[in-house]
Amino acid sequence: MRGLRTTALTVAAVLLIASLAGSLFARFDYIRQDRQHVAAGPSAAHWLGTDDLGRDRLARLLHGTRVSLLLAPAAAALSMLLALVFGAAPGFCGRFPERAAKTAIDLFLSVPWLFLLLMVRAMLPLNTSPAASVTITFLVLGILGWAAPARILLARAQSLRQSDFILLARSTGISHRQLVCRHVIPNLRPVLVAQFWISVPVFVLAEANLSILGLGVAEPMPSLGSMLRELESVLSFRGDLCRFAALVMLIVIVSSLQIVADQPEVY
Amino acid sequence: MRRTIAVASLLVAAFLTSALCLDELTFYVRSEPKTFNPALVSDDASETVRYLTGGVLLRLNRGTQSLEPELATAWKVSPDGRTITFTLRKGVYFSDGTPFTALDVTYTMEQLMNPALHSPTGDAFRSGAGKVSTAVLAPDKVSITFPAPVAGLDKLFDQVAIVSSQSPKRELAVLGPYYMSDYKPGSYVYLQKNPYYWKHDAAGRQLPHIDALKLEIQANRDIELMKFTRNEIQLINTMDADNFDRLARSSPEKVRDVGPSLDSEQVWFNQTANAPIPAYKLEWFKSRNFRRAISSAINREDLCKVVYDGHAQPALGPVSPANRFWFNAHLKPLRLDQNAAVQLLQQDGFQLSGSKLRDRAGHLVEFSIVTNAGNRSRERMATMIQQDLRSIGITVNIVTLDFPSLIQRISETFNYESALLGFVNVELDPNEQMNVWLSSSDEHQWNPRQKTPGTEWEAEIDRLMRAQASAMDDPTRKRYFDRVQEIVADQLPFIYLVNKDALVGVSPLLEGVKPVVLRPQTYWNIERLSFAAERPGNAR
């Protein structure tokens, strides 16, 4: 198992480094349209060929991976912060805040998130640059994705509140701040880390879903999701195998992160 | 007794053999027909059924784009444009055997103009307040009088399927080549040959040649394409460029590019006075020079080549060249000229600062284009326009929205800067575009619902459109509408991009198919289509 984990971590790290140093690999800007070579196959100039607008697929793949690998963890971190505030904190504070938080979380979980995302996306200002648009998309994902981890953190905080060692600590007259810092947060951390690593691939896929609907990252910025649209038609499967590059990359990234998420204690 | 059984067996066998040998043509409609009442048709699928089953007095020949007699052998429009008189064909019967009479024409018009029925077909005839009157002048002659002149009156009868006033089957008794024999909601509509259809071919054989049509309800175009490649369906009326090329590579004999269709794609800027956009942007958008500069900077040839794989033509104006009579052939092509674009912008005080364009007040020239999410062609066009305009220093942000949000922005809140959408034109007559060009109209997209026209050129368009609608002869109407096209090409309230080609799929097993750009592209002459004498068994 340790070997698998190491491999997954290595793959994720290599992909991150490759995407950060993308300009060294790709010879073209990811927005440059070569309209004379549209949907071209692999060549010495374009290693993965070009897309439907003649843009270098490798450059777009590396940039899209960078977008997903940097912003999905950021969104997951935001989500965890919200989950701590609205899940763990009320869970530890007492019965009334706990009940109120449970109700709020249940309400939030019952909302169809995709439609909520579409609604939020439609309400965004029109003149946002592609870079701002991709940041906003992940920010929205982070803001909307807190409820499921919050529920788990709430349950964990609730059990901590009623645990013997917390009662003992309280009976010694420890301050509330010390109690939280020394006993609660260290005991919540494994759940928090696990939820973080579970959320990262979920957000990568959520952005891909939005992009497939044409509502994710704005053109000309690439993302793994927007690149998956090259496979929109089932009949596209014929011929150009490089069209699968984004799908392969997404599978590799999500699988690596899932393997890491299954074993959070490595951290 | 034995002889009786033998004869009965032979008859049954003959019936079964003939049933199994039915020529059956199958194609897809993309949605469930909403109605089978021809007066209430408002959707494509219902229109398909109406076209195939309905008998009309006059039919627009989709090939020649001229009007031809059908159930009426002759017709005459009065000089004041209010009355039309038809001489009816004799010896014609509905699909259930009920005879066709002048009373049926009267009944059909009453149904169409019944205010309680809200007939979309009837709406086209509402020229003014007052009742429509019909008079049976002779058993084969009927006249219809409208309260006010109706421009292009005779052409409107192409949509009027005559219904029987006497048949117990009501609107299911039809005068067209087929009648509906079966309907399975969500699955198919089955049409069979009308045994009483009045038309015959040159050899004297009764039409139509094909015994039955199966209209399967299927929205998925990929499934349609797969079934077509397997010969399970024989016609595809409209195809996108990707699928067309894919099919052209494997089976070139099955696809046909019929040339530019009536449909257009265009960009427009929001010029609504109370739109929630900055005043300086509104000033840009209202400038003719700004709009012309944007138009000159767009590479339409590349849009046609890259987005439509060459199956589109750069658009010239509001009317496609496919509309042979109404198209103004004197319009000049909108050519790519980025130097001219920069000069036009400089005339309005815009200046390049580094690689960015700024207006005379120093504002960065940046705007957004909204289009509907999921439409790959429009998204690609917007991305190409983004790159074209970047080369003259303009930043474009592309915003794809789900369709309801988009419609709300462009029709209700006006919270958008520019939009990229298309017009689907079904009719040839300019009256169909009245709602787009009149400044008071809801559909006057760049600045709708104006109490008085905001500009002189919009006032002139209003005047010309009303003048063409009240003129009775087509050459005069065309003169007026040509001028409208010239004004639009000069002012560019809509920056026309491309006219998509009509791309169709036709099985080589079929004979007599003459695809055209007008709907229904492949089966407009359905009664003359037939299967080739030699064909594989799986084709049926």
Side-chain angles (χ1 to χ4, degrees), chain A residues 35 122 127 214 229 232 235, chain B residues 281 302 379 397 400 409 417:
Chain A
R35 295 178 185 173
N127 265 314
R229 296 190 70 191
E232 234 170 18
L235 295 162
Chain B
K281 286 196 177 179
D302 274 0
E379 287 172 24
N397 297 309
T400 52
R409 277 184 189 264
E417 291 174 350

Side-chain angles (χ1 to χ4, degrees), chain B residues 105-153:
Chain B
V105 178
T106 309
Y107 176 73
T108 302
M109 285 313 292
E110 280 170 7
Q111 290 290 302
L112 281 186
M113 304 315 292
N114 181 355
L117 205 62
H118 299 294
S119 163
T121 311
D123 286 345
F125 290 97
R126 288 184 221 284
S127 55
K131 279 195 76 173
V132 175
S133 60
T134 51
V136 178
L137 309 174
D140 65 339
K141 203 164 244 186
V142 62
S143 79
I144 307 165
T145 303
F146 295 88
V150 182
L153 176 60

Side-chain angles (χ1 to χ4, degrees), chain B residues 342-362:
Chain B
V342 171
Q343 282 172 11
L344 283 164
L345 290 166
Q346 283 171 344
Q347 284 175 24
D348 273 14
F350 291 91
Q351 288 299 330
L352 269 172
S353 158
S355 62
K356 300 285 183 187
L357 191 73
R358 291 182 183 275
D359 69 6
R360 57 163 64 95

Side-chain angles (χ1 to χ4, degrees), chain B residues 24-89:
Chain B
E24 182 185 296
L25 172 65
T26 307
F27 57 92
Y28 282 169
V29 287
R30 301 204 192 288
S31 60
E32 195 85 32
K34 287 183 182 162
T35 179
F36 292 114
N37 183 340
L40 299 179
V41 167
S42 64
D43 60 296
D44 276 352
S46 306
E47 171 58 31
T48 299
V49 175
R50 179 170 73 177
Y51 188 88
L52 296 168
T53 59
V56 292
L57 295 169
L58 308 172
R59 178 64 91 196
L60 182 80
N61 182 315
R62 266 59 174 174
T64 61
Q65 296 189 4
S66 59
L67 214 51
E68 291 179 350
E70 285 271 310
L71 296 171
T73 52
W75 72 97
K76 193 178 177 190
V77 180
S78 66
D80 66 358
R82 290 178 56 222
T83 303
I84 186 165
T85 306
F86 293 104
T87 305
L88 305 180
R89 195 174 294 278

Side-chain angles (χ1 to χ4, degrees), chain B residues 27 29 31-38 41 43-55 59 161 171-172 174-183 188-192 213-217 520 523 526:
Chain B
F27 57 92
V29 287
S31 60
E32 195 85 32
K34 287 183 182 162
T35 179
F36 292 114
N37 183 340
V41 167
D43 60 296
D44 276 352
S46 306
E47 171 58 31
T48 299
V49 175
R50 179 170 73 177
Y51 188 88
L52 296 168
T53 59
R59 178 64 91 196
E171 65 264 9
L172 292 180
V174 293
L175 290 163
Y178 293 92
Y179 71 96
M180 192 180 72
S181 62
D182 190 13
Y183 168 49
Y188 63 82
V189 181
Y190 200 78
L191 308 179
Q192 278 192 316
L213 307 178
K214 192 173 186 186
L215 280 54
E216 292 192 12
I217 299 159
Y523 54 85
I526 187 73

Side-chain angles (χ1 to χ4, degrees), chain A:
Chain A
M1 278 308 284
R2 181 168 286 277
L4 188 62
R5 267 180 264 139
T6 313
T7 310
L9 265 176
T10 311
V11 168
V14 166
L15 288 180
L16 184 65
I17 292 164
S19 61
L20 287 173
S23 54
L24 298 176
F25 295 95
R27 294 172 54 192
F28 300 99
D29 190 348
Y30 68 86
I31 60 170
R32 181 174 169 267
Q33 295 171 10
D34 179 358
R35 295 178 185 173
Q36 303 306 316
H37 299 97
V38 168
S43 64
H46 304 285
W47 294 354
L48 290 179
T50 60
D51 71 1
D52 293 337
L53 293 177
R55 297 175 295 194
D56 184 62
R57 197 176 275 129
L58 177 62
R60 292 183 67 74
L61 184 68
L62 292 174
H63 197 87
T65 306
R66 185 194 313 178
V67 165
S68 298
L69 279 181
L70 289 182
L71 290 177
L78 174 66
S79 215
M80 290 311 113
L81 185 70
L82 292 172
L84 263 180
V85 173
F86 297 111
F92 193 72
C93 284
R95 275 193 184 170
F96 178 73
E98 179 200 314
R99 278 190 185 174
K102 265 188 183 170
T103 311
I105 291 167
D106 286 347
L107 265 175
F108 210 84
L109 283 174
S110 67
V111 173
W113 68 270
L114 184 61
F115 292 102
L116 197 63
L117 272 173
L118 294 182
M119 195 185 77
V120 173
R121 187 74 181 80
M123 284 162 61
L124 290 179
L126 295 178
N127 265 314
T128 43
S129 67
S133 128
V134 66
T135 311
I136 291 170
T137 301
F138 277 100
L139 194 71
V140 169
L141 288 173
I143 290 172
L144 299 180
W146 62 273
R151 208 172 207 299
I152 293 160
L153 284 172
L154 187 143
R156 179 68 182 143
Q158 183 191 13
S159 71
L160 280 176
R161 191 184 77 216
Q162 294 160 350
S163 64
D164 293 343
F165 77 94
I166 292 288
L167 284 176
L168 273 173
R170 276 192 170 140
S171 67
T172 62
I174 192 171
S175 73
H176 195 73
R177 189 178 162 190
Q178 279 181 320
L179 185 75
V180 170
C181 293
R182 282 194 190 168
H183 299 291
V184 180
I185 290 182
N187 277 288
L188 279 178
R189 197 165 57 195
V191 181
L192 197 63
V193 172
Q195 286 302 308
F196 173 83
W197 285 114
I198 288 168
S199 297
V200 172
V202 168
F203 288 153
V204 170
L205 289 174
E207 185 278 322
N209 284 338
L210 275 182
S211 289
I212 285 169
L213 293 171
L215 296 157
V217 176
E219 287 281 6
M221 177 84 75
S223 71
L224 289 179
S226 62
M227 292 188 71
L228 283 178
R229 296 190 70 191
E230 287 197 78
L231 299 173
E232 234 170 18
S233 166
V234 289
L235 295 162
S236 309
F237 281 68
R238 293 176 188 173
D240 189 4
L241 289 176
C242 291
R243 283 174 183 256
F244 288 90
L247 181 65
V248 171
M249 183 68 94
L250 187 70
I251 291 170
V252 171
I253 289 173
V254 172
S255 310
S256 306
L257 295 177
Q258 284 290 0
I259 292 167
V260 174
D262 280 347
Q263 303 294 334
E265 68 273 14
V266 292
Y267 297 96

